[in-house]
């Protein structure tokens, strides 16, 4: 079974630029999560989707971050404009509705200069 | 909301030493508890989990027992290897149906 796929793996941008990350969850997983992991910390939930609907985006900085999950499969997370403090690893995870276990992708490491 | 407190690192051990990484949680009800491992440059991999009190999760020589009376889920391994060097995260899945992580513990095993 293929795991969660993410791209790109690395991205370097300058502040005030825009960036987008892509995630393809495990086939059949209805629930998809985006996390932000700042160096030295545990992952922090940004947004949770159930199929193509948002379940929880209470910790998403909506003035600059947006996410969508069209057709309930792939998802994109966008930052516009980026700030220095957005430098982090962005992790995507998915979960089967019948389980409590989340499966993580390899992450995208973003560096904002 | 839920919270997870993990033993602060970094932890440095010699090969074949005994490992304990402490984890305590705060949650209502009966959460599921997890240990994830993160190798350099990679995402989080599920190491083990336990879903009810007194359950023991185990994988690759690692073990953790769900202790509701002490709200703990300490990770142990009897004999660590260099390849176990990684960051370990304790997680709690509670009634809010969200996974809350501790801050992670960096483990380095020296040959």
């Amino acid at each position: 079974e293929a795991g969660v796929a993410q791209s790109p793996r690395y991205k370097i941008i300058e502040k005030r630029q825009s960036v987008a990350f892509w995630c393809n969850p495990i086939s059949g997983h209805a629930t998809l999560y985006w996390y932000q992991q700042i160096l030295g910390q545990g992952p922090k939930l940004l947004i949770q989707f159930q199929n193509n609907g948002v379940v929880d985006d209470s910790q998403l900085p909506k003035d600059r971050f947006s996410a969508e999950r069209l057709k309930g499969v792939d998802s994109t997370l966008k930052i516009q404009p980026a700030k220095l403090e957005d430098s982090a690893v962005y992790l995507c995870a998915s979960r089967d509705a019948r389980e409590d276990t989340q499966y993580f992708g390899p992450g995208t490491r973003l560096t904002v200069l | 909301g839920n919270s997870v407190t993990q033993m602060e690192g970094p932890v440095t051990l010699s090969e074949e030493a005994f490992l304990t990484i402490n984890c305590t949680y705060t949650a209502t009800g009966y959460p599921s508890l997890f240990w994830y491992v993160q190798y350099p440059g990679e995402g989080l991999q599920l190491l083990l989990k336990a879903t009810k009190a007194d359950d023991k999760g185990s994988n690759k020589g690692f073990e953790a027992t769900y202790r509701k009376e002490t709200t703990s889920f300490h990770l142990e391994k009897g004999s660590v290897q260099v390849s176990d060097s990684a960051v370990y995260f304790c997680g709690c899945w509670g009634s809010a149906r969200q996974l809350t992580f501790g801050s992670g513990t960096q483990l380095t095993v020296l040959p």
Side-chain angles (χ1 to χ4, degrees):
Chain A
E1 178 181 80
V4 177
Q6 289 189 248
S7 67
R9 291 295 311 277
Y10 304 92
K11 190 73 176 178
I12 300 174
I13 62 173
E14 295 188 348
K15 60 183 180 184
R16 292 187 289 272
Q17 287 187 321
S18 302
V19 64
F21 313 127
W22 173 82
C23 172
N24 182 240
I26 292 173
S27 177
H29 282 195
T31 307
L32 184 147
Y33 306 84
W34 283 101
Y35 290 86
Q36 180 191 59
Q37 185 181 19
I38 293 173
L39 186 64
Q41 299 181 18
K44 183 188 83 171
L45 179 68
L46 291 175
I47 188 168
Q48 175 185 346
F49 291 94
Q50 180 76 17
N51 297 309
N52 60 348
V54 175
V55 174
D56 184 353
D57 63 357
S58 58
Q59 299 189 77
L60 188 73
K62 299 181 188 64
D63 58 332
R64 297 184 300 106
F65 286 65
S66 64
E68 61 182 11
R69 191 183 183 198
L70 299 176
K71 301 181 182 179
V73 182
D74 293 9
S75 178
T76 56
L77 176 70
K78 296 179 182 178
I79 308 175
Q80 180 179 10
K83 293 185 176 181
L84 297 177
E85 59 261 36
D86 298 332
S87 294
V89 176
Y90 291 84
L91 295 165
C92 180
S94 69
R95 179 176 66 85
D96 186 292
R98 298 162 294 181
E99 293 185 49
D100 54 11
T101 301
Q102 295 183 24
Y103 297 89
F104 285 80
T108 297
R109 181 176 298 277
L110 173 67
T111 302
V112 182
L113 303 176
Chain B
N2 299 341
S3 67
V4 176
T5 302
Q6 251 183 269
M7 170 179 167
E8 288 193 15
V11 174
T12 302
L13 296 173
S14 297
E15 205 165 24
E16 299 183 2
F18 184 84
L19 169 71
T20 300
I21 301 178
N22 291 339
C23 171
T24 57
Y25 67 91
T26 302
T28 56
Y30 300 90
S32 295
L33 301 173
F34 299 82
W35 278 101
Y36 281 84
V37 58
Q38 187 174 35
Y39 298 101
E42 299 184 15
L44 276 68
Q45 300 177 23
L46 177 66
L47 182 58
L48 53 85
K49 73 177 203 181
T51 58
K52 61 183 187 294
D54 300 325
D55 267 3
K56 178 185 285 188
S58 61
N59 186 26
K60 300 180 182 180
F62 291 89
E63 294 182 339
T65 301
Y66 189 144
R67 301 287 188 201
K68 189 159 180 64
E69 64 276 14
T70 54
T71 62
S72 65
F73 193 55
H74 304 322
L75 182 68
E76 297 182 337
K77 187 175 186 182
S79 176
V80 293
Q81 305 300 312
V82 172
S83 57
D84 294 328
S85 298
V87 181
Y88 293 81
F89 291 94
C90 184
C92 174
W93 169 272
S95 56
R97 299 184 68 75
Q98 290 184 357
L99 188 55
T100 301
F101 288 98
S103 57
T105 302
Q106 170 79 55
L107 170 67
T108 301
V109 181
L110 302 175

